[in-house]
Amino acid sequence: MAEWEILYYNLPLAGRAEFIRLIFEEMGISYSEPIKSFDEIREMVFNNGIGGFPVQFPPVLRKGDFHLGQTPVICKYLGEKFGLVPKSEEEKWQAEQVNATIHDFVAEGRLAFHGKRWIDSYHNQKEETQPYIDWVAKERIPKWLKYFEEVLKRNNDGQGFLFGSELTYVDLGLLQCLRGCEYSYPKAFEAADYCPLLKAFKTRMEARPKLAAYYKSERYAKHPQDTNSMM
Ligand SMILES: N[C@@H](CCC(=O)N[C@@H](CS)C(=O)NCC(=O)O)C(=O)O
């Protein structure tokens, strides 16, 4: 039987692939990351070397002939596959709303680090992009975090998960975007005393046995949280 694969840059950073890794890690389902070089990902993804339905950018989920792009869509797909979805139809769609918002936040948080040329490394535009980083830290981070705090609070007073009494793919997505935010906007995150539930949620999620083991593992060491680009 074909194995689950994540096609992503073979780089020492978590990146958007981390959203997908967390689902497999939490479920205890094995996966591999076969890409070994930038040329390989360029050939497979950018030049449609995988064939089949075109995908635009990594990360890509692959299993045999099936491959899928767009991180939020992959997370939703795996969520359905592994039973990590809310019970009611309404909540399923609300979960999707939060999933989309998480990935809007990631895109915006990342963009500030690449204000001059957004496909170029942050290190080549540090000075020019600093005003965008400062602005996002001051004006936008509170907006995003307050929203997620509100969503969390409405279920079980914010003491559990985002929906119902069981983990969903959106809890894992929220965890990863909070980690990205903390690493990339450390001062703004630390100063965010308006979202205590969210911070407690993050700590609680990171302590889940499978995730805690993952963060100590060799697999995580290969892809640590990126410190200067959100994703
Ligand atoms: N919305 C897409 C964005 C994918 C994306 O921008 N991937 C980055 C790496 S994380 C990339 O390879 N970008 C190449 C480019 O923009 O040319 C997703 O969430 O998967």
Side-chain angles (χ1 to χ4, degrees), residues 8-9 15-17 46 56-59 69-72 74 103 107 110 118-119 231:
Y8 199 57
Y9 303 99
R16 282 185 167 97
F46 293 87
Q56 194 182 25
F57 296 138
Q70 282 291 359
T71 318
I74 295 170
H103 288 273
R110 180 198 171 275
W118 49 83
I119 53 170
M231 289 299 145

Side-chain angles (χ1 to χ4, degrees), residues 2-14:
E3 243 199 53
W4 293 108
E5 293 175 314
I6 301 173
L7 309 182
Y8 199 57
Y9 303 99
N10 181 31
L11 290 173
L13 57 86

Side-chain angles (χ1 to χ4, degrees), residues 80 83-93 95 163-168:
E80 290 280 352
L84 289 171
V85 285
K87 303 264 180 284
S88 75
E89 193 190 353
E90 287 77 9
E91 284 201 325
K92 277 185 188 163
W93 286 109
F163 295 94
S165 56
E166 282 169 36
L167 181 83
T168 68

Side-chain angles (χ1 to χ4, degrees), residues 12-229:
L13 57 86
R16 282 185 167 97
E18 194 68 1
F19 287 91
I20 308 167
R21 293 188 195 106
L22 289 191
I23 296 179
F24 286 123
E25 293 289 343
E26 172 61 31
M27 297 309 291
I29 291 172
S30 69
Y31 60 97
S32 63
E33 300 200 40
I35 297 295
K36 296 284 175 274
S37 67
F38 189 78
D39 285 348
E40 213 176 326
I41 195 87
R42 198 202 319 260
E43 178 53 33
M44 272 181 148
V45 177
F46 293 87
N47 296 334
N48 198 22
I50 348 181
F53 194 85
V55 287
Q56 194 182 25
F57 296 138
V60 175
L61 176 73
R62 179 166 73 168
K63 193 175 195 204
D65 291 340
F66 175 64
H67 51 267
L68 190 64
Q70 282 291 359
T71 318
V73 176
I74 295 170
C75 293
K76 159 88 168 152
Y77 167 79
L78 292 176
E80 290 280 352
K81 200 106 196 135
F82 303 150
L84 289 171
V85 285
K87 303 264 180 284
S88 75
E89 193 190 353
E90 287 77 9
E91 284 201 325
K92 277 185 188 163
W93 286 109
Q94 284 162 342
E96 251 319 271
Q97 177 196 309
V98 178
N99 186 30
T101 310
I102 286 169
H103 288 273
D104 280 355
F105 178 31
V106 167
E108 185 175 305
R110 180 198 171 275
L111 203 57
F113 286 82
H114 307 262
K116 185 179 163 205
R117 195 173 131 78
W118 49 83
I119 53 170
D120 200 0
S121 163
Y122 161 65
H123 297 284
N124 300 336
Q125 49 188 309
K126 275 182 166 175
E127 227 172 273
E128 297 93 329
T129 208
Q130 192 58 45
Y132 299 109
I133 298 173
D134 294 343
W135 181 74
V136 168
K138 185 163 180 270
E139 304 287 339
R140 300 290 292 177
I141 297 290
K143 219 172 210 176
W144 292 106
L145 294 183
K146 280 177 189 168
Y147 169 72
F148 293 120
E149 176 86 355
E150 199 181 306
V151 176
L152 184 61
K153 193 173 181 179
R154 58 159 281 288
N155 187 42
N156 193 23
D157 280 334
Q159 303 303 313
F161 301 111
L162 288 168
F163 295 94
S165 56
E166 282 169 36
L167 181 83
T168 68
Y169 68 102
V170 199
D171 294 302
L172 293 165
L174 180 60
L175 166 64
Q176 180 50 23
C177 86
L178 293 175
R179 285 172 63 82
C181 178
E182 181 184 35
Y183 278 80
S184 297
Y185 296 92
K187 287 191 194 137
F189 191 82
E190 201 191 333
D193 52 7
Y194 47 80
C195 58
L197 296 174
L198 219 45
K199 288 186 175 180
F201 166 87
K202 176 175 167 291
T203 306
R204 201 159 64 236
M205 289 289 291
E206 286 170 336
R208 290 176 70 80
K210 293 229 174 66
L211 295 184
Y214 167 60
Y215 291 132
K216 285 195 202 124
S217 74
E218 289 271 301
R219 295 185 304 287
Y220 180 70
K222 278 193 212 153
H223 309 287
Q225 188 60 56
D226 187 10
T227 50
N228 53 40
S229 185

